[in-house]
Amino acid sequence: MSLLVVGSVALDSVQTPFGSNADALGGSAVFFGSAACLLHPVQMVGVVGNDYPFDQLERLAARGIDLTGVTRMDGESFRWKGKYSYDLQNRETLDTRLGVFAAFEPRIPEAFRDARYVFLGNIDPALQLSVLDQIRKPALVACDTMNYWIHGKRDELLELLRHIDVLMVNDGEARELSGDWNIYRAARWILEHGPRMAVIKQGVYGAVLVDRDRVFYIPAFPLEEVFDPTGAGDAFAGGFMGHIARTGDVSTENLRRAMVYGSAMGSFAVERFSIDRFHEIGPAEVTARVRAFADLVRFDVEPEMELAE
Amino acid sequence: MSLLVVGSVALDSVQTPFGSNADALGGSAVFFGSAACLLHPVQMVGVVGNDYPFDQLERLAARGIDLTGVTRMDGESFRWKGKYSYDLQNRETLDTRLGVFAAFEPRIPEAFRDARYVFLGNIDPALQLSVLDQIRKPALVACDTMNYWIHGKRDELLELLRHIDVLMVNDGEARELSGDWNIYRAARWILEHGPRMAVIKQGVYGAVLVDRDRVFYIPAFPLEEVFDPTGAGDAFAGGFMGHIARTGDVSTENLRRAMVYGSAMGSFAVERFSIDRFHEIGPAEVTARVRAFADLVRFDVEPEMELAE
């Protein structure tokens, strides 16, 4: 039931109204792995420069992340620097230095090629396709993307959609991709282009899981303190895929539960800078938060069905 | 178990990307009543000019709305004209003519003064207080307001908060009132100023019910076609209060169910112009939509609690 993630391994410098940090662990594969490894072992594929604080990555290895697929190259690591608005709802990129990430060509180690569950973090869709070519028989492939690829590599992205099971994007990306503001019509557009499921993340408003027949809505966890939204979407993906890999069940009912684990992990991610919160928590905290989600949306309609015509 | 609403009875002219209408029934009391009367009889208090299409109001009377408290005055009815953005997420007021509404001083008919459930639509908080002075022993009072009063009549609004059970506002209003962007902190601020419950509506993202101990989240119904958002908040209030009045139960569990009826009625409101959708539906449609909400958020976490430490 192995779980593979391919994505960026970066160093983030983030300014929020509550503080700032510099060169902290970030990137889609790191946030995904930090969350997913609380649920299931993770195989990670990425690239870092020889300036990367590999000792900090080793802390993740101790939590069940196999770093065999993280290549060290001569050069600088991928760095992103951003600043959030007062309400954390918008962010401005101050600097992006791709470094060795610009030359990233994912090579999946032989030991990872039997991965059953695969998450393709936000990288060039041509590279995402090349990863799938290297995986023998995945049971479920989920994929993220971004506006840069939606506009710049649309043909490759449309080809990729024909080969994945779940497209997991935020609402803005779903709108750009489909050309439709309504996220439910956008989800239908996605389903018509290949995936059997669309997960559309809406930040503080939660996320929806849409398949051909049904819609499932999971709110974001009600937090009075949000510290740094960076990586929340990838942590969501980590919770989602980690749950699926742990249970080995790709039924719709189980994907609904996976959404809850996703939203739980997204909520942990935003409580601290970088992946710091994931170092503080274990199964007890995860279980408590998932139970809290059950209370958050629970209601009983059965006694109320006596409306007379 | 009588249910009273006091609010505006207006004529709306609305432009959306999908069409426009002119001088159609609108106003908080009308949207509230149109939704609530599907669940429970409604007593309405408001004022109209002698140009109001009273025959159209009579159609509501036939559905269980007592119009005894709707006064006809010499002069023009309250008219609002607005235009929505392409995505229906923003609207511009093109014209507001208060007409006789400017002189509205709610007089509650003697027969309405024993009302158990009271909704104070968005009017001057001084007038909302005067309504409460006329009600003998309400079991639950809910109240709406708007930015105009939050800034212009803050003292009166704060006094009002000490006398109501539920403040029901949208997220922007909750932020303006509390001075806090985070809606859960804003809700806490509201609870510290009197009400035992805060309902914060978030448009297409649903609504939250917050009390001192717990949070309940109900999404908006996943609609692929939204036609006209006007009145959705008041229809939500109508569903919420209609359910409470019908069941005569103000427990937290029942207020959660009331949120579902609220979100259901809000979703009907936006499917047509004005109150048109409410003329098309009956208990069967309401029940079906409430059941659909149950499926929208349903998941079972119990089998998934075996995370080992």
Side-chain angles (χ1 to χ4, degrees):
Chain A
M1 302 299 194
S2 50
L3 171 60
L4 173 70
V5 58
V6 180
S8 57
V9 181
L11 294 171
D12 290 345
S13 298
V14 176
Q15 299 171 23
T16 81
F18 316 112
S20 61
N21 69 354
D23 281 349
L25 261 59
S28 60
V30 169
F31 279 105
F32 178 98
S34 301
C37 72
L38 284 159
L39 303 170
H40 193 76
V42 176
Q43 300 168 336
M44 188 184 289
V45 171
V47 63
V48 296
N50 46 21
D51 59 346
Y52 205 83
F54 219 77
D55 57 319
Q56 291 184 47
L57 274 189
E58 299 287 355
R59 284 185 71 189
L60 294 180
R63 297 189 72 116
I65 302 184
D66 185 336
L67 301 171
T68 309
V70 179
T71 311
R72 270 193 264 204
M73 282 176 66
D74 274 347
E76 289 198 358
S77 299
F78 179 19
R79 280 180 170 78
W80 176 79
K81 188 172 182 178
K83 181 179 178 177
Y84 285 89
S85 60
Y86 78 99
D87 57 11
L88 304 175
Q89 294 309 290
N90 294 287
R91 72 181 190 190
E92 179 189 355
T93 290
L94 300 176
D95 195 20
T96 301
R97 299 186 192 185
L98 292 177
V100 297
F101 192 59
F104 184 39
E105 290 193 6
R107 296 287 163 86
I108 310 303
E110 176 57 33
F112 291 1
R113 294 189 179 199
D114 287 315
R116 294 289 286 158
Y117 304 99
V118 179
F119 182 70
L120 304 172
N122 165 35
I123 57 176
D124 184 332
L127 298 182
Q128 292 173 316
L129 277 166
S130 82
V131 170
L132 290 188
D133 285 342
Q134 300 173 63
I135 307 297
R136 292 194 184 93
K137 197 174 186 304
L140 187 135
V141 177
C143 175
D144 188 13
T145 190
M146 70 182 294
N147 295 343
Y148 184 78
W149 309 120
I150 290 170
H151 295 295
K153 295 269 182 118
R154 190 172 179 86
D155 289 346
E156 292 84 346
L157 183 56
L158 290 177
E159 174 63 21
L160 176 71
L161 290 183
R162 286 189 275 275
H163 300 277
I164 65 171
D165 301 288
V166 181
L167 182 67
M168 189 177 288
V169 288
N170 68 35
D171 43 8
E173 291 155 356
R175 286 169 181 143
E176 297 251 12
L177 181 59
S178 65
D180 202 320
W181 196 88
N182 181 292
I183 63 160
Y184 300 106
R185 283 202 307 262
R188 184 194 294 268
W189 185 98
I190 290 166
L191 299 184
E192 285 166 356
H193 286 76
R196 70 180 177 90
M197 297 268 185
V199 173
I200 299 181
K201 298 169 289 179
Q202 303 183 99
V204 295
Y205 301 110
V208 294
L209 170 71
V210 183
D211 69 11
R212 278 169 226 289
D213 303 315
R214 289 162 79 199
V215 175
F216 175 71
Y217 195 105
I218 187 77
F221 193 72
L223 294 173
E224 291 196 19
E225 303 292 341
V226 174
F227 196 75
D228 172 12
T230 311
D234 292 304
F236 184 104
F240 183 87
M241 294 296 287
H243 173 77
I244 294 170
R246 180 167 58 90
T247 54
D249 175 358
V250 298
S251 69
T252 299
E253 287 309 304
N254 200 47
L255 263 61
R256 286 182 165 223
R257 287 191 282 265
M259 292 287 286
V260 184
Y261 282 88
S263 198
M265 293 302 183
S267 73
F268 286 126
V270 305
E271 291 183 313
R272 300 281 186 281
F273 276 130
S274 181
I275 56 168
D276 292 356
R277 186 71 175 125
F278 294 109
H279 285 307
E280 302 171 356
I281 63 174
E285 286 79 9
V286 175
T287 297
R289 188 148 293 182
V290 167
R291 282 195 191 278
F293 270 102
D295 187 63
L296 178 64
V297 299
R298 190 183 52 73
F299 64 92
D300 174 16
V301 293
E302 292 311 318
E304 303 311 316
M305 287 301 165
E306 81 288 11
L307 280 175
E309 278 288 351
Chain B
M1 302 300 194
S2 49
L3 172 59
L4 173 70
V5 58
V6 180
S8 57
V9 182
L11 295 171
D12 289 346
S13 298
V14 176
Q15 299 171 24
T16 81
F18 316 111
S20 61
N21 69 354
D23 281 349
L25 261 58
S28 61
V30 168
F31 278 105
F32 178 98
S34 301
C37 73
L38 285 158
L39 303 170
H40 193 75
V42 176
Q43 300 168 335
M44 188 184 289
V45 171
V47 63
V48 296
N50 46 22
D51 58 346
Y52 205 84
F54 219 77
D55 56 318
Q56 291 184 47
L57 274 189
E58 299 288 355
R59 285 185 71 188
L60 293 180
R63 296 189 75 115
I65 302 184
D66 185 336
L67 301 172
T68 308
V70 179
T71 311
R72 269 191 264 206
M73 282 176 67
D74 274 348
E76 288 198 358
S77 298
F78 179 19
R79 280 180 169 78
W80 177 78
K81 188 173 182 177
K83 182 179 178 177
Y84 285 89
S85 60
Y86 78 98
D87 57 10
L88 303 176
Q89 293 309 291
N90 294 287
R91 73 180 189 190
E92 179 189 355
T93 290
L94 300 176
D95 195 20
T96 301
R97 298 185 192 185
L98 291 177
V100 297
F101 193 59
F104 183 41
E105 290 192 7
R107 296 286 164 86
I108 310 303
E110 176 56 33
F112 292 1
R113 294 190 178 199
D114 287 315
R116 294 291 285 159
Y117 305 99
V118 178
F119 182 70
L120 303 172
N122 164 34
I123 57 176
D124 183 332
L127 297 182
Q128 291 173 317
L129 277 166
S130 82
V131 170
L132 290 187
D133 285 342
Q134 300 173 63
I135 307 296
R136 292 195 185 92
K137 198 175 185 306
L140 187 136
V141 176
C143 175
D144 187 12
T145 191
M146 71 183 293
N147 295 344
Y148 183 78
W149 309 120
I150 290 169
H151 296 296
K153 294 269 181 116
R154 190 169 178 89
D155 290 345
E156 292 85 346
L157 183 56
L158 291 177
E159 174 63 22
L160 177 70
L161 290 183
R162 285 189 277 276
H163 300 277
I164 65 171
D165 302 288
V166 181
L167 182 66
M168 188 178 287
V169 289
N170 67 37
D171 44 7
E173 291 154 356
R175 286 168 182 143
E176 296 251 11
L177 180 60
S178 66
D180 203 318
W181 195 88
N182 181 292
I183 64 160
Y184 299 106
R185 283 203 307 263
R188 183 193 295 267
W189 185 99
I190 290 166
L191 299 184
E192 286 167 354
H193 285 76
R196 70 180 178 92
M197 296 268 185
V199 173
I200 300 181
K201 298 168 291 180
Q202 304 184 99
V204 296
Y205 301 111
V208 294
L209 170 72
V210 183
D211 69 12
R212 277 169 226 289
D213 305 315
R214 290 162 78 198
V215 175
F216 175 70
Y217 195 104
I218 187 76
F221 194 72
L223 294 173
E224 290 196 19
E225 303 292 342
V226 174
F227 196 75
D228 172 14
T230 311
D234 292 304
F236 184 104
F240 182 87
M241 294 296 287
H243 173 77
I244 294 170
R246 179 167 59 89
T247 53
D249 175 357
V250 298
S251 70
T252 300
E253 286 310 302
N254 200 46
L255 263 62
R256 287 181 163 224
R257 288 191 283 266
M259 292 288 286
V260 184
Y261 281 88
S263 198
M265 293 301 183
S267 73
F268 286 127
V270 305
E271 291 183 314
R272 300 280 187 282
F273 276 132
S274 181
I275 55 169
D276 293 355
R277 186 70 174 125
F278 294 110
H279 285 307
E280 301 171 355
I281 63 173
E285 286 80 9
V286 176
T287 297
R289 187 147 294 182
V290 167
R291 282 195 191 279
F293 271 100
D295 188 62
L296 178 63
V297 298
R298 189 183 53 73
F299 65 91
D300 175 15
V301 292
E302 293 311 318
E304 302 312 316
M305 287 303 166
E306 81 289 9
L307 281 175
E309 277 290 348

